[in-house]
């Protein structure tokens, strides 16, 4: 227990230490988070009227980001399948970073739902009187909460074992949880998809292909996000995941993106070939409806980005890390547009009564969104920051550290020479 | 393996861990400046909260209040007393706030005569006044569509028609409000059970339990629900002091509301406000379990339809035309109207 507290305090201390790039990055994220908080304070003071949402388009940027991050959180963790089930060692470290991201992403998901609430002061009602099993939103609360705990356990346990230089007890504390987390990751995807596809009054969502599309797009965006993250980690710390790991990610990503595009095609065919009146939303999204074309440039940008990424991934050129990273960026942005705004907003246009009201997020809404992302990435950066030295063996239980007292700013000897004795005191 | 950027110059004497800088006066000053600056930035970020209205925070009573269905009669009485006091404080009017439970053995239904409706929107405004709906921003439970003749495609309706005179010859008028569905998707999706169906078929909302997630708005196929994006306002003298706890008591910002068949009137035997004001008698309301009621007779004898029958919501809001079935066609029930033609 004491070891653990020392470990935690060392982690906290560590997260305040870094080089210039690290400080600049953290400063930027902190500023984003504060600006977002500022916008959210305005939203609290004046109500959701400061957003672009209306009775006609009652969900927007917040829920779009929630859906996107939900997928990302699931996909990065599903990499445990090759890592543990197929014993692909190259992916094990990738998985830890994936799970760390899942922790941050789930917290972002929860924040996005929270900022979307009209009465955030009543969020405890979710637990006081949950409408279970009827409401998919209740399912989602359970799914996300459980997922968060599972990932905190898995990463925390593995990293702490590494820190204590002990072999993790895979059979008791890892593999059973890995099996659960696999099912759980698919569940949070399915639940988020069912949240939308279960609504009979919204033909755009009420389609069986929504859930498979969720999985496919998440499996494309998740590995893409991981590749970029690992690249940043490699540049920042010199800690490199074996190339083989990256190439496995590339393979998963390519297949998933191809599948995703196929599913999109199926959906388009069904919507447009029949020419049914139900295609209003799809028409609005892809072609514009009655002169309202707000989302048309966005969705075609997304499709173009995804197709470009797919093209690059299909060629051997993507074995080059720079090309691969480029494809990843295109893919992440493409899927974000498609799955965020492209999936949420058109379902509300036209309304069930046929009225067309367009939606565009307001500045405050964008700032709140950026703030949540900033906070999430800040958390993720800290998690990665403390994990890397542990994984590389630079921070272990035996490392002479100047743990808790120093970090808390407790008085300590000022002469550099005296510091050794202080360490001895703290070290267990 | 070398740590390149993260552990640069600031890392003091780089130990094998290289984790923390040596503790120096400079480091302390820097840390203190950072902490003070951070707190200042946080305070600045939160400064818009100064614009919060004084009564924005729920009172402790309201915060701890239970769900409507879980309150004892005494607790409900307390809650209604609190609402009374709040309304008086806010609007300077002493209201009567009552709880109207559903009457046993009654199942309400609405029937609207499409042959008669002239699209005057008097129902819309009567509803606004009766139910203390916000005037700014404008919230209305009833939406009237001006439909071109020859189609039931809602996408072709005009929501914002503005004519000097109604009705217009080439159109018919289709008012839409909450259909109080027997299979309500809004109730199913609410994550906190803040909306439910009562035994007389009316779907109600506990305004003090709703968390404002707007999932019900997304779920409703009739676009019947409204959300208070901003604080609702009612002009002086505009408040209707005759209030039901689950119906027309003033709502606050951040919760959902909708038509409730004027339950504070209908459950004591009166007619809904939209019906009373209708100049052409296009609206009929009553108990479908009573075979003698007007709605029962309409459902038996008229050509009746519901909107979006295919989504399976089983609305209790019916539309009908004046033409009767031929006399020899018997009396088909509401669900089988379509097949009963000659």
């Amino acid at each position: 227990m004491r070891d653990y507290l020392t470990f935690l305090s060392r982690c906290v201390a560590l997260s305040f230490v870094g080089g210039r790039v690290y400080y600049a990055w953290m400063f930027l994220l902190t500023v984003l988070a504060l600006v977002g908080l500022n916008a959210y304070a305005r939203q609290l003071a004046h109500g959701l009227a400061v957003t672009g949402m209306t009775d006609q388009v009652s969900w927007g940027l917040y829920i779009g980001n929630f859906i996107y991050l939900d997928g990302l959180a699931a996909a990065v963790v599903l990499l445990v399948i090759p890592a543990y089930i197929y014993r692909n060692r190259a992916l094990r470290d990738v998985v830890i970073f994936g799970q760390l991201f899942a922790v941050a992403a789930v917290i972002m998901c929860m924040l996005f739902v929270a900022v979307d609430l009209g009465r955030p002061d009543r969020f405890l009602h979710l637990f006081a009187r949950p409408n279970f099993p009827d409401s998919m939103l209740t399912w989602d609360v359970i799914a996300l909460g459980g997922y968060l705990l599972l990932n905190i356990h898995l990463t925390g346990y593995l990293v702490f074992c590494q820190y204590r230089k002990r072999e993790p007890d895979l059979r008791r504390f890892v593999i059973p949880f890995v099996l659960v987390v696999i099912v759980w990751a698919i569940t949070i995807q399915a639940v988020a998809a069912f949240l939308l596809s279960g609504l009979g009054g919204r033909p755009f969502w009420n389609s069986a292909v929504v859930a498979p599309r969720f999985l496919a797009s998440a499996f494309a965006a998740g590995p893409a996000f991981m590749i970029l993250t690992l690249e940043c980690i490699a540049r920042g710390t010199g800690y490199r995941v074996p190339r083989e790991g990256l190439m496995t990610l590339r393979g998963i990503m390519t297949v998933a993106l191809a599948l995703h595009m196929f599913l999109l095609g199926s959906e388009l065919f069904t919507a447009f070939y029949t020419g049914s009146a139900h295609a209003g939303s799809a028409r609005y999204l892809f072609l514009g409806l009655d002169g309202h074309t707000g989302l048309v440039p966005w969705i075609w940008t997304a499709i173009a980005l995804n197709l470009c990424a797919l093209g690059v991934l299909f060629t051997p050129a993507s074995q080059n890390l720079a090309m691969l990273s480029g494809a990843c960026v295109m893919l992440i942005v493409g899927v974000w547009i498609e799955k965020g705004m492209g999936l949420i907003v058109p379902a509300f246009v036209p309304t069930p009564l046929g009225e067309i009201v367009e939606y565009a997020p307001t500045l405050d809404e964008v700032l709140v969104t950026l703030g949540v992302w900033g906070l999430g990435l800040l958390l993720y950066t800290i998690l990665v920051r403390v994990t890397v030295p542990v994984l590389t063996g630079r921070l272990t239980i035996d490392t002479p550290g100047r743990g808790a007292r120093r970090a808390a700013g407790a008085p300590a000897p000022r002469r550099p020479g005296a510091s050794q004795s202080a360490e001895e005191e703290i070290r267990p | 393996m070398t740590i390149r950027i993260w552990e640069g110059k600031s890392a003091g004497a780089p130990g094998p861990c290289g984790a923390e800088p040596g503790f120096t006066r400079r480091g302390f000053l820097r840390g203190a400046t950072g902490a003070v600056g951070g707190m200042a930035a946080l305070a600045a970020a939160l400064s818009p909260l100064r614009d919060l209205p004084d009564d924005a925070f729920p009172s402790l009573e309201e915060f701890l209040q239970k769900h409507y269905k879980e309150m004892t009669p005494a607790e409900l009485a307390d809650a209604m007393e609190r609402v009374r006091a709040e309304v008086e404080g806010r609007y300077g009017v002493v209201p009567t706030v009552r709880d109207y439970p559903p009457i046993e053995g009654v199942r309400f239904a609405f029937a609207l005569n499409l042959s008669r409706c002239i699209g005057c929107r008097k129902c819309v405004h009567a509803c606004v006044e009766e139910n203390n709906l916000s005037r700014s921003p404008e919230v209305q439970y009833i939406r009237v569509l001006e439909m071109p003749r020859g189609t039931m495609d809602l996408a072709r309706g005009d929501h914002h028609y503005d004519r000097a005179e109604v009705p217009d010859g080439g159109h018919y008028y289709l008012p839409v409000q909450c259909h109080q569905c027997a299979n309500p998707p809004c109730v199913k999706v609410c994550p906190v059970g803040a909306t439910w169906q009562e035994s007389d078929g009316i779907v109600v909302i506990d305004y003090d339990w709703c968390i404002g997630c707007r999932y019900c708005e997304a779920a409703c196929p009739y676009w019947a629900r409204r959300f208070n994006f901003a604080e609702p306002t009612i002009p002086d003298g505009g408040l209707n002091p005759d209030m039901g706890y689950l119906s027309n008591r003033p709502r606050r910002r951040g919760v959902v509301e909708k038509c409730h068949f004027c339950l504070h009137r209908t459950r004591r035997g009166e007619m809904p406000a939209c019906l009373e004001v209708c100049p052409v008698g296009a609206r009929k309301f009553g108990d479908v379990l009573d075979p003698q009621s007007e709605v029962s007779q309409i459902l038996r004898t008229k050509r009746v339809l519901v909107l979006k029958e295919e989504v399976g919501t089983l609305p209790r809001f019916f539309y009908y035309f004046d033409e009767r079935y031929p006399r020899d066609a018997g009396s088909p029930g509401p669900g089988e109207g379509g097949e009963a033609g000659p």
Side-chain angles (χ1 to χ4, degrees), chain A residues 46-353:
Chain A
H46 303 286
L48 281 159
V50 304
T51 69
M53 291 184 277
T54 53
D55 275 324
Q56 283 83 0
V57 184
S58 49
W59 280 347
L61 198 56
Y62 297 156
I63 298 295
N65 276 283
F66 156 65
I67 293 288
Y68 177 73
L69 279 166
D70 184 288
L72 225 49
V76 290
V77 168
L78 284 171
L79 302 173
V80 296
I81 299 178
Y84 285 93
I85 309 294
Y86 298 115
R87 295 170 197 271
N88 181 337
R89 281 237 154 222
L91 275 182
R92 283 217 180 162
D93 288 347
V94 178
V95 169
I96 290 213
F97 291 116
Q99 290 182 316
L100 289 175
F101 181 69
V103 171
V106 170
I107 289 174
M108 281 192 264
C109 280
M110 290 172 164
L111 285 175
F112 272 120
V113 174
V115 297
D116 192 61
L117 293 183
R119 293 299 302 251
D121 54 313
R122 293 184 185 161
F123 83 97
L124 283 175
H125 292 185
L126 281 168
F127 308 100
R129 216 170 173 284
N131 182 12
F132 186 83
D134 272 5
S135 172
M136 291 319 288
L137 204 52
T138 306
W139 278 80
D140 215 20
V141 170
I142 299 168
L144 285 176
Y147 195 63
L148 181 64
L149 295 180
L150 278 171
N151 282 305
I152 288 178
H153 161 73
L154 278 171
T155 50
Y157 178 72
L158 289 172
V159 173
F160 189 50
C161 279
Q162 186 98 2
Y163 169 78
R164 295 177 72 189
K165 291 184 158 174
R166 293 199 186 164
E167 262 311 295
D169 185 349
L170 288 182
R171 294 191 56 171
R172 275 178 63 200
F173 292 115
V174 178
I175 299 294
F177 289 95
V178 163
L179 294 177
V180 174
V181 94
I182 290 171
V183 179
W184 210 287
I186 295 174
T187 307
I188 69 165
Q189 280 281 287
V191 167
F194 294 163
L195 193 107
L196 307 178
S197 68
L199 304 182
R202 305 270 170 197
F204 187 68
W205 287 339
N206 192 214
S207 147
V209 86
V210 168
R213 254 185 84 190
F214 260 52
L215 281 170
S217 64
F219 265 101
F225 192 86
M226 283 322 298
I227 290 176
L228 289 184
T229 310
L230 294 171
E231 197 49 29
C232 291
I233 292 174
R235 292 195 176 209
T237 69
Y239 175 71
R240 280 196 183 280
V241 167
R243 191 182 156 77
E244 189 198 341
L246 292 186
M247 288 305 126
T248 312
L249 289 181
R250 168 176 164 261
I252 297 173
M253 196 164 91
T254 312
V255 174
L257 184 59
L259 188 61
H260 171 63
M261 296 312 281
F262 172 71
L263 289 174
L264 177 71
S266 319
E267 201 138 49
L268 284 180
F269 173 81
T270 318
F272 288 112
Y273 187 80
T274 27
S276 117
H278 280 330
S281 291
R283 194 167 285 278
Y284 169 68
L285 177 61
F286 289 99
L287 305 173
L289 199 60
D290 289 353
H292 300 275
T293 55
L295 287 181
V296 176
W298 287 96
I299 194 65
W300 289 110
T301 309
I303 290 179
L305 285 171
N306 284 348
L307 285 176
C308 285
L310 194 59
V312 174
L313 286 174
F314 271 145
T315 61
S318 61
Q319 283 174 356
N320 172 313
L321 226 47
M323 290 295 276
L324 186 60
S325 305
C328 289
V329 171
M330 289 192 280
L331 202 161
I332 289 172
V333 176
V335 172
W336 181 80
I337 297 174
E338 216 188 300
K339 205 169 175 184
M341 298 287 275
L343 182 66
I344 299 302
V345 177
F348 294 94
V349 188
T351 69
L353 296 186

Side-chain angles (χ1 to χ4, degrees), chain A residues 18-19 55 116 135 195 402, chain B residues 6 20 189-190 214-215 217-218:
Chain A
D55 275 324
D116 192 61
S135 172
L195 193 107
R402 296 165 223 123
Chain B
W6 284 3
E20 300 141 66
V189 301
C190 177
R214 308 188 298 293
Y215 196 10
E217 266 200 306

Side-chain angles (χ1 to χ4, degrees), chain A residues 409, chain B residues 23-33:
Chain B
F23 190 86
T24 59
R25 180 174 311 187
R26 195 166 143 242
F28 175 76
L29 282 177
R30 201 195 294 171
T33 320

Side-chain angles (χ1 to χ4, degrees), chain B residues 130-160:
Chain B
E130 173 67 32
N131 290 312
N132 293 318
L133 297 188
S134 172
R135 317 302 207 263
S136 167
E138 248 182 15
V139 176
Q140 297 167 347
Y141 292 164
I142 305 176
R143 180 53 72 87
V144 185
L145 276 69
E146 187 181 70
M147 302 286 295
R149 293 202 169 207
T151 180
M152 279 296 289
D153 181 4
L154 296 175
R156 299 189 54 197
D158 183 355
H159 290 248
H160 306 285

